[in-house]
Amino acid sequence: MQKIKLFLMTVAACVLVTWLSVEGWAFKQFLTQPISSQTDAQVVSIPKGATSRKVAHLLYEAKMVRHPEWLVWVLKWRGQAEQVKAGEIEIHPNWMLDELIDALIQGKTVTYPVTFIAGETIQQGLETLRNSPKLEKVLDYQDTAAIQAQLGLKQPLEGQFLPETYFYSADETDLSILQRSHASLQKTLQQAWANRADNLPIKTPYEALILASIVEKETGYAPERPMIAGVFVNRLRKGMRLQSDPTVIYGIGDKYDGNIRKKDLQTKTAYNTYRINGLPPTPIALASADAIRAVLNPATTKALYFVSKGNGQHVFSNTLKEHNRAVRKYILSRQ
């Protein structure tokens, strides 16, 4: 009986040693080999307040770790069990364990882009924002006055955001995107204002923004922007009306059907620069940084007129006679 006990204890010890050896080898593999045998990366959403064990099992269910309890143990051993960040994290199966843990505690969350396009109106920008996925919606898109109040703006929303691409994480708010975009615009505008040319007929940064929005709409050809700005600056200096078609279109609003008619040019609105002196009351679109800089450092020119060639570029004229000749060549000849 004693011999049987000794034999069983010996067998148990051998099994334990073998198991420990296998587990030790497996644990070593866990520490030194890629975290998963999967081929594709996966986005794993880690909820706020999730424990390290909850996170480990989420990764296990996604087949991104083989031994969740070992991951928990390593996190605790390193003193990082409470440092895992919430959010969407893209996990790559070829990562080593250290890379996985770094991503978890640094919060390397998945980001999504939202792009505001130069020349678009605030309504178009808000529609883009409203349709952006994973973004928490806290704005009332039908109430621009309320949005203006939430942002603490004195002027209307139109033109108050810098058109570029902004990246956000899941559950970031649409309001925060607008706050970032407005801050970017203010920084760009103030820098351009500080470096503006002398003796411009533009009294405030907001006036510069209004004129920049008109320049933005007048040409999509970036090298021409300083020249277009130069024409408008010359007109303002001489007390001439800007006579910009895009401002007329903006004043028509939803009734615009693609054509500007004679009656549209004759109808006085706050934005019809054929009928009003100086600038309209607000920007008419989102102005790019290039358009803002062009307005505050316009080309030196005597030109007072320009007409489209029909290829995205313009012909500039110093006199009305020259302008009428250009209109006959480039506009009337196409009709």
Side-chain angles (χ1 to χ4, degrees):
M1 190 66 178
Q2 195 68 23
K3 289 181 179 181
I4 293 174
K5 278 187 178 182
L6 183 59
F7 172 75
L8 292 175
M9 289 176 64
T10 302
V11 169
C14 290
V15 169
L16 179 61
V17 169
T18 301
W19 180 82
L20 289 173
S21 297
V22 171
E23 284 294 291
W25 176 85
F27 186 66
K28 183 179 179 181
Q29 294 290 100
F30 176 74
L31 295 176
T32 60
Q33 296 296 314
I35 59 174
S36 174
S37 60
Q38 299 297 307
T39 56
D40 298 323
Q42 285 200 46
V43 175
V44 177
S45 182
I46 298 174
K48 293 179 181 179
T51 63
S52 58
R53 178 165 279 101
K54 173 67 174 177
V55 172
H57 281 278
L58 285 173
L59 295 174
Y60 177 72
E61 290 168 7
K63 298 183 179 179
M64 286 292 113
V65 293
R66 299 181 180 88
H67 302 282
E69 294 302 325
W70 288 355
L71 175 58
V72 174
W73 185 87
V74 172
L75 285 168
K76 288 182 177 179
W77 178 70
R78 291 184 175 188
Q80 296 173 318
E82 306 300 323
Q83 297 176 21
V84 176
K85 302 289 193 306
E88 290 184 325
I89 299 181
E90 186 174 66
I91 309 295
H92 295 264
N94 61 339
W95 277 353
M96 305 302 287
L97 182 62
D98 284 345
E99 292 177 288
L100 171 63
I101 292 176
D102 285 345
L104 292 174
I105 66 174
Q106 290 177 20
K108 295 179 179 178
T109 56
V110 175
T111 58
Y112 301 87
V114 58
T115 302
F116 297 140
I117 299 173
E120 288 194 342
T121 64
I122 183 58
Q123 290 299 338
Q124 291 170 308
L126 289 176
E127 185 66 14
T128 296
L129 200 60
R130 190 177 70 82
N131 292 328
S132 297
K134 304 284 186 177
L135 195 60
E136 184 181 351
K137 309 301 192 300
V138 299
L139 300 174
D140 180 353
Y141 289 90
Q142 305 304 314
D143 191 346
T144 55
I147 298 174
Q148 180 183 335
Q150 285 176 281
L151 291 166
L153 301 182
K154 294 180 180 179
Q155 292 95 3
L157 291 182
E158 193 68 79
Q160 294 278 14
F161 309 99
L162 191 68
E164 59 181 32
T165 298
Y166 300 88
F167 291 90
Y168 62 91
S169 304
D171 299 327
E172 188 172 345
T173 68
D174 46 9
L175 176 60
S176 70
I177 300 295
L178 291 185
Q179 289 169 331
R180 285 162 51 193
S181 182
H182 177 66
S184 294
L185 174 79
Q186 288 300 306
K187 181 178 179 181
T188 299
L189 186 57
Q190 293 301 328
Q191 287 176 343
W193 182 257
N195 294 293
R196 68 191 183 278
D198 295 329
N199 302 316
L200 291 175
I202 301 169
K203 300 181 182 66
T204 65
Y206 190 64
E207 285 190 358
L209 186 62
I210 293 171
L211 187 54
S213 73
I214 299 173
V215 170
E216 188 70 58
K217 292 296 290 184
E218 285 284 4
T219 181
Y221 183 54
E224 278 191 349
R225 286 177 184 141
M227 192 68 179
I228 297 284
V231 170
F232 286 137
V233 166
N234 286 345
R235 282 179 160 261
L236 289 172
R237 281 183 175 138
K238 289 179 176 291
M240 296 175 66
R241 289 175 176 171
L242 296 184
Q243 296 185 320
S244 168
D245 289 355
T247 66
V248 176
I249 293 169
Y250 188 84
I252 295 172
D254 294 338
K255 295 179 181 179
Y256 178 64
D257 62 2
N259 295 302
I260 298 179
R261 297 169 176 82
K262 186 176 180 179
K263 68 174 184 178
D264 296 322
L265 298 178
Q266 294 174 340
T267 300
K268 189 170 184 178
T269 73
Y271 292 89
N272 185 351
T273 53
Y274 284 82
R275 295 297 311 279
I276 66 169
N277 298 321
L279 297 168
T282 73
I284 61 171
L286 299 179
S288 64
D290 284 345
I292 292 170
R293 286 190 283 264
V295 161
L296 290 170
N297 282 279
T300 301
T301 179
K302 293 182 179 179
L304 294 170
Y305 307 91
F306 57 85
V307 63
S308 173
K309 291 181 181 180
N311 63 355
Q313 299 181 38
H314 295 80
V315 172
F316 296 86
S317 304
N318 295 353
T319 67
L320 182 58
K321 185 177 179 180
E322 291 175 0
H323 176 62
N324 288 337
R325 189 161 51 240
V327 169
R328 287 193 296 272
K329 179 177 180 179
Y330 293 102
I331 302 297
L332 299 181
S333 63
R334 296 200 303 262
Q335 294 179 351

